[in-house]
Amino acid sequence: MRTRLFEPLGMTRTAIETGHALVTGGRSATGLPVQPWVMSAYAPGGAAVSTAGDLARLATALLDGTAPGMAALEPTTATDRSNSRIGDFWQISTWQTGQTITSHGGQTGGYASYLGLDRARHKAVIVLSDVANDASDLGTQLLAHGK
C-alpha cells in the first residue's frame, strides 16, 4: 500500500496500523471508550489510518483518473441488490437520480469511515468518525443529495 498508493499520491499521513496503535482510542456506538484495533495479518483489510487531507488527495486522483489501480473502480460482480455492483474494493450503486456512486466504507472498534465518488459530476465525500457508527449512509446521502 505504501509503495503502490500512499507514496505516489503524497499521502504522507496515511499508514497501515501493525504492531501498535497509531491513533488514540475512539468511542463505541454507545459512547464507551475503545482502543484501536491492531490487526496484524488482517491489517490490509481494515487497519488503514489516514487524514481527511490525505483522503482528499486520493479522491482527487480517483476523480481525475491518475490514481494507481483505476481499474479497481469498475464493477465486476452483481450483488443481491438490483442497483448495486462491486468492483475490486469498491461498491458501485446507481440511484433513482441517475447518479452512479462509487464508494467504500469501513468500521472498526471506535472508528468509522466512508469515501464516496460521483465520478460523472466530479464530486467526492469523505466522512471520518471516531465513533463506531456506520458512516456510509451519511456519506451517500451527502453525495446523492448535495449540491
Side-chain angles (χ1 to χ4, degrees):
M1 294 286 292
R2 182 177 33 82
T3 59
R4 290 185 177 185
L5 186 65
F6 304 155
E7 288 175 357
L9 294 180
M11 298 173 68
T12 59
R13 299 194 51 153
T14 301
I16 302 296
E17 209 169 40
T18 59
H20 66 281
L22 299 174
V23 296
T24 58
R27 301 269 175 188
S28 70
T30 60
L32 297 174
V34 290
Q35 293 303 308
W37 292 359
V38 178
M39 299 184 188
S40 302
Y42 293 104
V49 294
S50 192
T51 63
D54 272 9
L55 291 175
R57 284 181 186 81
L58 174 59
T60 299
L62 291 168
L63 289 172
D64 68 19
T66 61
M70 287 297 296
L73 275 71
E74 299 306 320
T76 58
T77 307
T79 68
D80 60 351
R81 296 185 306 180
S82 63
N83 72 329
S84 182
R85 297 161 289 155
I86 56 172
D88 299 329
F89 191 69
W90 297 93
Q91 179 175 320
I92 300 92
S93 301
T94 305
W95 289 82
Q96 308 88 317
T97 61
Q99 286 174 280
T100 298
I101 295 176
T102 303
S103 65
H104 185 88
Q107 184 176 330
T108 62
Y111 302 94
S113 62
Y114 172 88
L115 172 60
L117 308 167
D118 181 336
R119 296 169 66 194
R121 294 186 176 142
H122 207 73
K123 292 184 179 187
V125 167
I126 299 163
V127 178
L128 300 175
S129 175
D130 63 353
V131 177
N133 281 323
D134 184 5
S136 296
D137 286 344
L138 172 62
T140 301
Q141 290 301 316
L142 288 169
L143 195 55
H145 301 294
K147 299 288 182 202

